[in-house]
Each structure stands twice: as C-alpha cells, then as structure tokens.
C-alpha cells in the first residue's frame, strides 16, 4: 500500500516525481524518497516523515536528471526510519529500487546474499531486490536480464520499479500489487495509482500480473517475464485532474463528503429509467442476466464490507438468499460455492489484497464473479466475469466517504436487477426509485445543515461513542463508528441495537453518547434499545427525520429528510461523516492521513 512514481522524459524529473509523491501520499506517509539518474550515476535523497519534509530537504542541483523513481512508504517490514525509506540500493549504489508489496521469501534470499558478501543497511524486504540485480550484473548479465532474473527469484506480491546507473531506462514488474503506465507527449510515467500523474496525462496502460515493462525515452515495451511481447492497449481515464485536488476545502475528506451529490448523480445517471422512474437498467445486465443463480455471497473489507452488508440485507429483505463476508476471513471459513453461486466483490480501489484472494478462491470453486469498484482496469475488475463501476471519481482521503454512498446505491440498483431475475418478493418499488432519483438533491440539503458540527463539539471528550441501528441501520452504525475511530482516534463502536443488552450495556455511562439510527423500519425496537442506554445515563442522539417520536425522547437530534427506508440509512451516514470530521478537526487530528492507516491495502 505504498506509493510508487517513476518518470522517463525529456525534461527534469525531480519536480514531477515530487508532485507524484504528493498525489500518492494517501497510500503511505511514514517516509519518502527519490532517486534520479543524472548522467554520472544515481543520486538519492530519502528520509522518514512526510513528503513535505522531503521536499524541503531536496537539493535540486544534486538530483538533476531526466529519469527517476520515487516512493512514499507505509511500513510493513521495519519501522519508518531513514534507513528503511525507499529507494533502496545495492552495495555499489548502481541499482535503485522502489517496491510495493511483500516479498515472502526475502529472509532466505537475504541470507544467501549475505553469504556471498552482500551487506544490507535496512530492515526491509525490499532491499533484497537491488542486491539480486547487482548479483546478476556481476555475473555479466545485461541490466534488463538482471532485472528479469531478480524478479523471477521473488515470491509474494510486488510492484517494482528499478533503475541502473548510466542507463536512461526504467524497469518495472507487477505481481499482486497495482502498477500503471502513463503515456505523455514528453515521456512516460510509472505509478501505483493514476492520481500520481493525472495532471500530466489521462492516457494509461494497466499492467497485469506477470507483466514486465521497459520504459525508455522513445517508447514502452510490454513483455512477459520470459521476454515474450504482449499487447497492452491504452485507456483514457475519465477523471478530471481537478478532482484530485482539495480545491477550497481544508481537507480531502470534507471535499469528498461534499462531492457526494455529484458522485451519486454520476452513479445513477442512465441507470434508472422512465418519466416516472420505474425500471433499473444496468449496463451488461439485461433481464435474465442472473438466471440460474441460487445464492449470492458478498466479499469485502472495511468500509466496502459495510456497503456489502447493506446490499446483502436489502436483498435478504426481498427473499434473495445472500450473505456478506469479510474477505480476510473468507479464505478460512468460506461457505459452500458452486457454479450457481454469484460472488460479488466490493472494493473501492479494486486492488485490496484480501478481496482479490477471496475472489480467486471463489473462482477456483466455479463461482461467477462480479466486481463493484471505482477503478476501471483494476485487478478486481479484470479478474471478475462482470464489472459494475460506481463512477465516484478519485477519492484521496484515507477515510472512505463518497465511495461508500456510491457503493451502497449501486448495490441497491443491482439488487433490483437480481430480484427481478430471481423472482424476489419486494413490494412496489416506485417510491424507492423516485427517492433514488432525487438522492443527490437530498444529500445536498443535509450538507447545508450545521448540526453535526455543534454536536461534535458538545460531546467532545466523551469516554466512548456508541452507534446503533437495526436492519439497514446496522451497517450504517458500523460505518459511523469506523469513521469516528479512524480519524478522531477516540473509542467508538457500532452495534446492532438489540445487542446492547447482550454485553455492551455494561459499558454505558453518562460519558458514552449513543447515536441511534432510525430508518423507518423497526424503529420502535431501536428506540426501546436506545432508551435502555438513556435510562442508564447515556446521552441519546436520534438520527432521524424531524417529527419522529425519537426526537421528543432524545437529548439531541441529527436531522435527515424522510425517504424510503432503503435509503434513510445513507442519509444518516452523511450526518455521521460530518460528525466524525468536525470532531477530528476540533481535536487537531491529521484527518486525511490518520496514523497507521493507508488508503489502499494491497498486502494481507
């Protein structure tokens, strides 16, 4: 989940590399570094800390050159120190490498190299790669052959970019970690994610597992590890470069919360049809597309799991047999799968390692795979039989916001298609479709409400924060708690409301505010559970429409418009996102870069 940037061009590389690292810092910010080929060898500058600190320390004269690589790190092997920062080099410093992923056999490789006299300076698994390249160079191999042989020795997941002294060439390979090539009029880019170079070009080539790419000033060569040429066609990314900037907002998270009306409009566009909306039409899924499916399993992690749970509950309520699974547990305790099983992977980036592994397991058992993702050309999109894009645009803040709402809405739309094909038992859905069509405007009305900020300040300093819901309110409670703990560093937990009395009620005190989510379904039971906590001293905050009975009972109220119960939880979630944001802001937390977390988790 580190960030990689590489540049081969006709102009100075350093400014482009630093811009790329700033754009990628959401992927890791423990340390950062750059290496540039300046005609007289490779020059490196790296250090622990954020990219801004590296940028201040950069000596542009020393790092002059037209070819370079950079890296921003999220630590896996070794703490975030200067020595463990990338790029890493061999003993002669004629080879420099940046790497994302985990080399599983690094200890064996390192031991063998040490026996041959190689000296290591870091605690990382990455450092074995430049030493392997050096070893093969010393045996007389060309730089390209040495790179290929080194890659062939690796076991695990990786995206690797390397440069060799006095060659204006970058060598790169991927296996299980994302890597993309950017095609520019003045040269070429390598990166772990498109936003790294989006302001320079939107023409990209996504590498696939097993690909090796050689980037020279005059062109890019795509081959297998064995050197056989392969065809990789460029695609145009439909993202506006301005979407990857903060604009007028103090934080990416706040910007992305406020982008939800737009992202939802993009998600819905063309997918709900009729003058009076009454039909869902998803590309690639005509009527009958799901005939023969007997069971549905969702796999996902983190926020995407909460969206998957939302979709699963919606389908179950209409008589379709579904289950939602944490992808990292799916490999341990997956339910039975066969050719009549549809496995739906929900992943913002399309590169989440645990989700990809769950997909591969399901594929091996014969399941049909469908990916719901935000990224065209991602590994999950290529691995699946079918893809449903959420069209949310780039999301830079580590804490997912607009992608959750877009994922949940897309799963509701997908549910309608599946329900029709499998003869589900939903009631008249015209009210749902009407409210879905108006959802962007409804979200906008919530974003104009300042109540969440006032409540965040009112309850600042509480011992714990509890979020409860029932039915479709339950995944929203989980997501509300996750957002709160992610960016405030305060203790927060989400519960099915009925579970309060099965243990969590023992934790309730006057210093544990309880946020109760009312969707319009089973509200009386949610209110009864909430009152149990209130009776024991807990402040009760009702997240519900004005005029709801809970407003008169609660100590405080977060207002949401009255909508179809299938959508009410998503409106509640916006208020909880704002609550988390304003609490974190009042506490002075680094909202876009919460400690120990990174945006895309590409290691297990």
């Amino acid at each position: 989940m580190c960030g990689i940037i590489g540049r081969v061009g006709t102009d100075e590389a350093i400014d482009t590399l630093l811009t790329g690292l700033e754009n990628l810092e959401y992927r890791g910010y423990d340390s950062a570094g750059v290496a540039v080929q300046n005609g007289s060898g490779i020059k490196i500058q790296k250090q622990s800390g954020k990219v801004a600190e590296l940028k201040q320390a950069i000596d542009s004269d020393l790092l002059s050159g037209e070819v370079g690589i950079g890296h921003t790190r999220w630590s896996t092997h070794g703490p975030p120190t200067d020595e463990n920062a990338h790029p890493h080099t061999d003993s002669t410093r004629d080879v420099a490498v940046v790497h994302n992923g985990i080399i599983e056999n690094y200890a064996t490789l390192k031991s063998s190299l040490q026996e041959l006299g190689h000296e290591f300076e870091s605690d990382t698994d990455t450092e074995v790669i430049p030493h392997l390249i050096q070893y093969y160079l010393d045996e007389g191999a060309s730089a390209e052959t040495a790179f290929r042989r080194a890659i062939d020795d690796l076991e695990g997941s990786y995206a690797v970019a390397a440069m060799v002294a006095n060659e204006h060439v970058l060598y790169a390979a991927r296996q299980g970690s994302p890597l993309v090539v950017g095609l520019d009029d003045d040269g070429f880019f390598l990166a772990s994610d498109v936003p790294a170079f989006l302001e320079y070009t939107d023409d990209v080539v996504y590498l696939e597992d097993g690909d090796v790419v050689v980037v020279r000033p005059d062109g890019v060569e795509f081959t297998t590890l064995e050197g056989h040429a392969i065809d990789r066609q460029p695609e145009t990314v439909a993202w506006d470069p301005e979407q990857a900037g903060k604009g007028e907002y103090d934080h990416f998270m706040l910007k992305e919360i406020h982008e939800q009306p737009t992202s939802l409009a993009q998600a819905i566009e063309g997918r709900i049809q009729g003058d009076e909306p009454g039909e869902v039409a998803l590309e690639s899924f005509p009527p009958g597309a799901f005939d023969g499916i007997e069971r549905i399993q969702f796999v996902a992690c983190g926020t995407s799991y909460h969206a998957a749970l939302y979709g699963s509950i919606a389908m179950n309520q209409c008589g379709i047999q579904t289950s939602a699974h944490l992808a990292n547990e799916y490999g341990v305790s997956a339910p039975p799968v066969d050719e009549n099983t549809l496995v739906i992977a929900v992943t913002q980036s399309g590169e989440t390692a645990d989700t990809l592994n769950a997909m591969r397991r399901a594929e091996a058992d014969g399941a049909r795979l469908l990916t719901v993702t935000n990224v065209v050309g991602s590994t999950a999109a290529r691995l699946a039989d079918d893809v449903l894009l959420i069209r949310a645009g780039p999301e830079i803040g580590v804490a997912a916001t607009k992608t959750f709402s877009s994922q949940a809405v897309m799963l509701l739309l997908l549910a309608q298609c599946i329900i029709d094909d499998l003869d589900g038992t939903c009631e008249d859905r015209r009210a749902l479709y009407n409210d879905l069509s108006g959802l962007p405007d409804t979200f906008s009305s919530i974003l104009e409400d300042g109540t969440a900020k006032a409540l965040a300040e009112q309850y600042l300093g509480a011992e714990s924060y509890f979020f409860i819901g029932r039915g479709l309110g339950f995944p929203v409670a989980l997501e509300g708690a996750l957002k709160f703990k992610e960016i405030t560093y305060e203790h927060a937990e989400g519960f099915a409301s009925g579970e309060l009395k099965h243990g969590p009620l023992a934790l309730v005190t006057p210093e544990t505010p309880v946020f109760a989510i009312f969707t319009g379904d089973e509200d009386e039971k949610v209110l009864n559970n909430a009152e149990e906590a209130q009776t024991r001293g807990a402040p009760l905050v009702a997240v519900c429409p004005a005029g709801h009975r809970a407003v008169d009972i609660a100590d405080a109220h977060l207002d949401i418009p009255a909508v179809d119960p299938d959508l009410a939880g998503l409106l509640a979630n916006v208020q909880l996102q704002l609550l988390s944001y304003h609490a974190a802001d009042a506490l002075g937390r680094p909202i876009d870069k919460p400690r120990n977390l990174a945006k895309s988790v590409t290691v297990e």
Side-chain angles (χ1 to χ4, degrees), residues 496-515:
S497 63
E499 282 296 296
L500 269 181
K501 56 185 172 290
H502 294 284
L505 205 57
L507 302 175
V508 165
T509 74
E511 295 301 317
T512 54
V514 174
F515 295 83

Side-chain angles (χ1 to χ4, degrees), residues 59-84:
D59 184 337
S60 296
D61 292 333
L62 175 68
L63 292 167
S64 176
E66 300 168 352
V67 180
I69 52 178
H71 189 270
T72 181
R73 181 173 184 246
W74 188 85
S75 304
T76 52
H77 288 79
T81 63
D82 292 354
E83 293 79 13
N84 289 335

Side-chain angles (χ1 to χ4, degrees), residues 491-553:
H491 180 253
E493 293 295 335
F495 304 103
S497 63
E499 282 296 296
L500 269 181
K501 56 185 172 290
H502 294 284
L505 205 57
L507 302 175
V508 165
T509 74
E511 295 301 317
T512 54
V514 174
F515 295 83
I517 299 152
F518 297 90
T519 66
D521 277 340
E522 304 285 342
D523 281 1
E524 282 301 316
K525 291 182 179 179
V526 175
L527 186 55
N528 289 340
N529 299 143
E531 287 184 286
E532 290 173 348
Q534 188 185 43
T535 299
R536 290 156 177 81
L540 173 59
V541 181
V543 189
C544 60
H548 193 287
R549 195 169 80 84
V551 176
D552 297 329
I553 296 170

Side-chain angles (χ1 to χ4, degrees), residues 143-152 212 214 223-227:
E144 182 176 340
T145 300
F147 176 78
R148 291 180 186 277
R149 290 181 179 175
I151 295 300
D152 193 37
V212 173
V214 180
T223 67
T224 64
L225 183 58
E226 295 76 23

Side-chain angles (χ1 to χ4, degrees), residues 255-309:
K255 173 177 178 280
E256 288 155 6
I257 290 172
H258 281 264
E259 283 178 343
Q260 287 177 104
T262 299
S263 62
L264 288 171
Q266 292 170 173
I268 295 168
E269 183 180 4
R271 289 165 164 170
I272 304 177
Q273 298 183 346
D275 295 334
E276 293 185 4
E279 183 179 345
V280 172
L282 299 180
E283 62 277 17
S284 304
F285 303 114
F290 298 103
D291 286 350
I293 294 298
E294 296 179 357
R295 68 193 64 81
I296 297 167
Q297 299 169 4
F298 287 91
V299 292
C301 297
T303 287
S304 293
Y305 170 72
H306 299 155
L309 187 58

